[in-house]
Amino acid sequence: MITIGSLSLGAALVLSVYALVTFVVAARNQSQTVTDSAQRAVYSIFILVTISCLVLLYALFSRNFNVEYVAQYSNRSLSWFYTAAAFWAGQAGSLLLWAWLLAFFAVLVIVQNRKNQPLLLPFVMAVMSVVLFFFLYLLVFKTNPFISLSFTPEDGRGLNPLLQNPEMIFHPPSLYIGFVGFTVPFAFALAAMMSKQLDNLWVKSIRRWSLFSWLFLTIGNILGMQWAYVELGWGGYWAWDPVENSSLLPWLTSTAFIHTVIAQERKGVLKKWNLSLIILTFALTIFGTFVTRSGLISSVHAFGVSDLGPLFLGFLALILIVSFTLLYRRAPLLNSASTITGWTSRESSFLLNNLLFVAITIGVFLGTVMPSLSEAFTNNKITVGVEFFDRLAVPIGLAIALLIGICTLLSWNGTSLRNIIKNFTIPVCVTLVVLIILLIRGSHHFLALVAISIIVFSITSTIMEYVRGVRVRRRMENGSLFAALFNLLRNNKRRYGAFIVHLGVLLLILGIAGSSVFSYDTTVTVERGDKITVGDYELHYLGIAGSHDKHYHIDAAQFDIYSAGKKIGVIQSEKHLQPNFQPATEVGIRTTLKEDLYVILADYDTETGRATVSVLVNTLIVWMWIGGILMVIGTLLVLIPSAAKRSA
Amino acid sequence: MSYLFLVLLVIIGVYIIAPYLNRHKSVAVAGTKQQKLSALQYRRQLISISLAELDFDYRMGKLTEQDREQAMQELHSELGNIEKRLAQLGNAQTAAVKEKLEKEIAARKKQINSGKK
């Protein structure tokens, strides 16, 4: 059975070479016969890689510990939920998932485009075949998940307790879907340049793919933040860890891309810029994989040292050299049909937003690779701290937040000064009122005041856009308020869906700003019956309670929570003790819209009941998660096809 | 199980080489026209969206009447050019289909005639 998994991968690798060669031939001589055969090779690759995935899943669920991968990442006591997640817990499994997604997306691209883009498709598929070949080569020759041990152990090592979290099911696959999804826009971009078919048709083909991939990258990042927030040892929701950064980088460039590609569609501008952005986005997904798997950059999330690093680096270099050489050679064909007019147009605000996104991308990239680069060139490892990233991200993040509010009020081609004043009046007034209230209530933290002012301005201007839109709709239709809002969203999903995403981003920034500026904490050692006072809360320590889960032993420090003399709940922080692994800490969290009460069990003695705990009050943090949900809802709205398109 | 896998590999092999046993003609000419047509239709769709948005932006008070008129004129002019090119392509395509059909009818006639002989 296991041999079939390995043979399937080998056969898929051979077919990927066949698909590459035949798609190149088909692109050159435009032969339908060769194209058909090549497409069938891709369908077959998908079937073969699917068989490999099923074989690995079977090995995991049947506890076949003769397979090294199964013995390494699962054991007999592991629940079916985490046994499924063990599929991508290790390097080989995660690369297999990557290859399967890529093969699946390749099939979807063929089905979607074989009729509409018969000339471009062979070029697109040739590029995708190269990427498929690379990942299948790694799976067959470098990190095969079907390697057998010379003996069969009684039990496996098990899954790291840090990974035994429901997020393990959703976070890695979401990120992989996002990463792999960007292969499609990249392949179309390269195909358009190779075939010189540089009209807007390739942009049409990738618009949904870019949004789809961006959506999953967003979901993956938000889930990762949540996981890091509840799992101690990963440095809070965002620690500027290299692996966290490497999933943020393609998100930043793709966010820039999905804005300026609209300007290209509408105004025929920024063609070279958009091609550069999509090349960079794909290159950054490969860079992210390199960071996770090379072991060159130390991170709490990395897979450890492996010999895949040079291969990823070589592939990355190949992508960048080929893509930018092609872009340079096609530059004369990529001149814009028109120019960006005036600084008060929506397209110029898109450009400004892009410059900010690219600036933060460069900064985060340099900060991430600095230790490796400095060591390579000077033998002296220069590590960049959290302060560097904060200093970079705070002003740029706030500038982007401000731009969200301004851009919403601008129109294509330009907006007159009179209309700017008219549209900006209400948001500016609301912001001033909030600012005055904050000052009266004694808030004097400059950065917090600036951040809240910007967020309030941008949220108000976005809401005003809805108010004005609904008003116009009601005038046009004479309908109810609800009907007007519904029709506003239905008739312009792209615009109003995007505004929901913007609201989500603003709430996310609000959560980050609030938790960074207003949070406070205390660390104390307590005996049974002691009280801990933090802000408005009083925690009564009840002692350490031991219990056994199916998989590990649990020691929990328990507290009653009081506020203003009233008991408002209980909270506990746990240590999970599992053989073969370091103890894992599960924090206790009580969430309200205003703040999270967050308890960490740092150290304890089961005999005396004495415990050292940290109690944190994290302000406004829940708004980050609400913002994340809004980002997902807004993007889904943009992605839903319009009724006209569905019926077409 | 290994035999089943071998059978699967043989089926895949046959499936992949099958198109070579049933030859089609080149897609080049029809493909180029189809792509041009799709590109123009897409541009037309985008202009329609832009026109609707322009009108909506004006009603929302984001644009002056003068700005709106100027932008609308530009878009209508581009739309006119696209409609013209679409009509030309449509005619060319109709002519190509006609020519292809006539050739096929002539070939079939020839076949029938030679059969009679």
Side-chain angles (χ1 to χ4, degrees):
Chain A
M1 189 73 176
I2 293 305
T3 324
I4 288 175
S6 217
L7 284 174
S8 295
L9 284 179
L13 176 68
V14 173
L15 284 182
S16 71
V17 177
Y18 174 79
L20 170 61
V21 173
T22 43
F23 275 123
V24 170
V25 172
R28 283 174 71 95
N29 66 17
Q30 295 166 1
S31 159
Q32 186 64 55
T33 308
V34 181
T35 305
D36 283 350
S37 177
Q39 289 177 0
R40 287 172 180 220
V42 172
Y43 300 151
S44 306
I45 291 170
F46 172 63
I47 291 168
L48 289 165
V49 180
T50 305
I51 290 172
S52 291
C53 292
L54 292 174
V55 170
L56 183 59
L57 276 175
Y58 179 75
L60 283 163
F61 280 100
S62 63
R63 311 291 187 208
N64 185 351
F65 298 121
N66 185 242
V67 180
E68 189 184 354
Y69 189 82
V70 177
Q72 187 78 20
Y73 297 103
S74 68
N75 61 5
R76 292 189 190 282
S77 64
L78 200 63
S79 68
W80 65 268
F81 189 74
Y82 292 121
T83 302
F87 186 103
W88 48 81
Q91 181 164 271
S94 66
L95 287 179
L96 181 59
L97 177 65
W98 190 298
W100 182 82
L101 285 169
L102 191 55
F104 178 54
F105 291 167
V107 169
L108 286 182
V109 168
I110 292 174
V111 172
Q112 281 178 336
N113 296 283
R114 64 185 162 192
K115 289 211 174 93
N116 296 333
Q117 307 244 34
L119 294 182
L120 195 62
L121 190 59
F123 290 95
V124 174
M125 293 313 300
V127 177
M128 290 193 80
S129 300
V130 172
V131 185
L132 252 174
F133 168 78
F134 175 70
F135 280 95
L136 288 169
Y137 173 82
L138 294 180
L139 282 164
V140 172
F141 295 110
K142 294 288 172 186
T143 177
N144 194 320
F146 301 105
I147 289 172
S148 296
L149 293 167
S150 55
F151 65 103
T152 305
E154 271 299 299
D155 201 356
R157 186 166 179 261
L159 191 65
N160 188 331
L162 279 174
L163 300 180
Q164 292 186 39
N165 183 299
E167 304 278 9
M168 182 62 188
I169 286 284
F170 307 106
H171 163 67
S174 301
L175 276 184
Y176 292 148
I177 293 172
F179 275 22
V180 180
F182 277 113
T183 313
V184 179
F186 168 74
F188 268 95
L190 236 61
M193 289 194 285
M194 286 191 284
S195 64
K196 298 184 187 173
Q197 294 170 47
L198 292 156
D199 51 43
N200 264 353
L201 214 51
W202 76 271
V203 175
K204 183 194 176 192
S205 305
I206 59 141
R207 204 183 69 79
R208 279 176 191 284
W209 276 104
S210 308
L211 279 171
F212 167 82
S213 311
W214 184 87
L215 171 67
F216 276 92
L217 213 49
T218 305
I219 293 173
N221 275 316
I222 300 274
L223 290 178
M225 288 165 78
Q226 261 185 329
W227 192 359
Y229 179 65
V230 300
E231 200 72 55
L232 199 75
W234 285 356
Y237 62 79
W238 199 266
W240 296 109
D241 177 87
V243 171
E244 289 174 350
N245 294 350
S246 65
S247 62
L248 176 70
L249 288 167
W251 185 88
L252 292 169
T253 49
S254 58
T255 308
F257 173 74
I258 57 179
H259 282 89
T260 42
V261 83
I262 304 172
Q264 179 175 338
E265 275 188 323
R266 296 292 175 89
K267 309 288 294 174
V269 293
L270 302 170
K271 291 177 184 171
K272 289 172 220 164
W273 178 256
N274 283 327
L275 283 165
S276 307
L277 282 177
I278 204 64
I279 293 166
L280 277 179
T281 300
F282 178 68
L284 286 169
T285 63
I286 299 296
F287 170 76
T289 322
F290 161 73
V291 169
T292 324
R293 285 163 182 84
S294 65
L296 283 180
I297 298 171
S298 57
S299 155
V300 288
H301 299 73
F303 281 101
V305 180
S306 81
D307 58 351
L308 297 190
L311 285 168
F312 271 100
L313 213 53
F315 188 55
L316 187 61
L318 179 78
I319 289 164
L320 290 172
I321 292 167
V322 170
S323 305
F324 281 107
T325 306
L326 206 52
L327 182 58
Y328 175 75
R329 292 185 65 168
R330 295 290 181 263
L333 301 173
L334 289 164
N335 291 326
S336 296
S338 57
T339 51
I340 292 176
T341 47
W343 283 103
T344 56
S345 64
R346 184 170 290 176
E347 52 269 36
S348 54
S349 73
F350 280 180
L351 183 62
L352 194 56
N353 127 324
N354 262 240
L355 294 176
L356 293 169
F357 273 109
V358 170
I360 197 169
T361 304
I362 293 169
V364 173
F365 177 79
L366 288 176
T368 306
V369 298
M370 186 58 83
S372 300
L373 280 183
S374 58
E375 194 176 25
F377 290 108
T378 63
N379 271 339
N380 185 20
K381 204 172 197 169
I382 300 170
T383 310
V384 174
V386 172
E387 298 76 23
F388 166 81
F389 290 108
D390 283 346
R391 277 188 191 170
L392 177 84
V394 170
I396 296 181
L398 289 178
I400 288 171
L402 182 64
L403 212 51
I404 287 175
I406 294 172
C407 167
T408 308
L409 302 171
L410 300 178
S411 183
W412 293 103
N413 295 321
T415 315
S416 68
L417 185 66
R418 194 171 68 91
N419 285 335
I420 288 177
I421 294 169
K422 196 173 102 187
N423 293 332
F424 278 59
T425 307
I426 293 177
V428 168
C429 289
V430 171
T431 308
L432 286 174
V433 169
V434 172
L435 191 61
I436 290 164
I437 291 171
L438 285 173
L439 285 170
I440 291 170
R441 291 190 63 176
S443 299
H444 296 293
H445 192 291
F446 176 73
L447 190 61
L449 290 175
V450 170
I452 289 173
S453 301
I454 286 173
I455 292 162
V456 169
F457 167 79
S458 293
I459 288 178
T460 314
S461 71
T462 310
I463 290 171
M464 282 310 295
E465 185 71 10
Y466 273 95
V467 172
R468 273 194 288 264
V470 167
R471 215 182 279 157
V472 171
R473 276 264 152 219
R474 284 191 81 180
R475 273 207 301 270
M476 286 163 72
E477 297 161 359
N478 270 334
S480 69
L481 190 76
F482 179 74
L485 179 64
F486 179 75
N487 286 333
L488 184 77
L489 286 168
R490 196 184 62 171
N491 290 326
N492 204 340
K493 285 195 280 280
R494 277 178 80 168
R495 186 196 276 200
Y496 288 94
F499 289 158
I500 293 177
V501 178
H502 285 176
L503 279 176
V505 173
L506 292 167
L507 292 182
L508 187 84
I509 296 174
L510 177 72
I512 294 171
S515 61
S516 307
V517 176
F518 299 117
S519 295
Y520 47 93
D521 62 275
T522 182
T523 299
V524 286
T525 299
V526 284
E527 308 265 356
R528 251 184 233 113
D530 282 355
K531 294 172 187 171
I532 309 167
T533 305
V534 188
D536 297 336
Y537 298 101
E538 195 174 80
L539 273 69
H540 294 199
Y541 178 50
L542 305 174
I544 299 283
S547 62
H548 283 282
D549 186 78
K550 194 178 168 189
H551 317 294
Y552 37 73
H553 176 82
I554 301 170
D555 284 329
Q558 299 175 320
F559 301 86
D560 282 336
I561 313 167
Y562 286 80
S563 180
K566 271 189 186 169
K567 185 178 168 184
I568 55 169
V570 291
I571 196 164
Q572 67 178 35
S573 173
E574 301 169 353
K575 286 273 183 201
H576 291 184
L577 310 168
Q578 186 176 338
N580 302 328
F581 294 101
Q582 292 282 319
T585 306
E586 293 294 318
V587 296
I589 303 174
R590 182 181 183 275
T591 300
T592 63
L593 288 178
K594 188 184 162 204
E595 62 207 7
D596 275 14
L597 179 66
Y598 188 98
V599 179
I600 307 163
L601 175 59
D603 197 13
Y604 63 100
D605 183 337
T606 42
E607 282 181 16
T608 61
R610 180 181 292 174
T612 303
V613 288
S614 294
V615 183
L616 294 83
V617 177
N618 293 328
T619 312
L620 298 176
I621 208 118
V622 75
W623 293 99
M624 280 171 51
W625 318 131
I626 294 172
I629 292 167
L630 280 183
M631 286 165 80
V632 173
I633 292 171
T635 315
L636 285 175
L637 194 69
V638 176
L639 275 169
I640 296 170
S642 65
K645 269 191 184 170
R646 275 201 302 272
S647 61
Chain B
M1 197 59 95
S2 301
Y3 288 111
L4 272 177
F5 184 70
L6 268 177
V7 172
L8 177 72
L9 285 184
V10 171
I11 292 171
I12 285 175
V14 172
Y15 174 66
I16 290 170
I17 60 165
Y20 296 108
L21 307 172
N22 180 22
R23 287 179 172 273
H24 292 280
K25 284 187 174 176
S26 163
V27 292
V29 179
T32 310
K33 269 179 196 152
Q34 181 58 44
Q35 293 223 175
K36 272 186 189 163
L37 203 68
S38 301
L40 286 171
Q41 283 168 340
Y42 182 50
R43 185 66 200 144
R44 183 172 62 180
Q45 188 192 340
L46 284 174
I47 292 175
S48 306
I49 294 170
S50 297
L51 282 168
E53 279 194 0
L54 210 59
D55 188 51
F56 203 74
D57 278 351
Y58 169 69
R59 286 169 189 261
M60 285 173 75
K62 284 189 185 176
L63 287 169
T64 60
E65 189 158 4
Q66 195 189 353
D67 288 343
R68 173 203 180 215
E69 285 305 316
Q70 195 190 335
M72 281 228 167
Q73 254 179 13
E74 281 169 18
L75 287 171
H76 276 300
S77 150
E78 196 186 343
L79 194 61
N81 284 335
I82 287 171
E83 295 289 2
K84 252 188 229 168
R85 285 167 67 190
L86 276 171
Q88 281 168 358
L89 265 178
N91 288 339
Q93 217 171 31
T94 314
V97 171
K98 232 178 178 177
E99 195 183 339
K100 196 181 167 190
L101 275 173
E102 276 168 6
K103 271 185 188 170
E104 272 182 25
I105 291 166
R108 185 59 68 86
K109 270 184 183 172
K110 206 176 166 185
Q111 205 181 3
I112 293 167
N113 288 340
S114 64
K116 274 180 184 173
K117 279 175 191 172

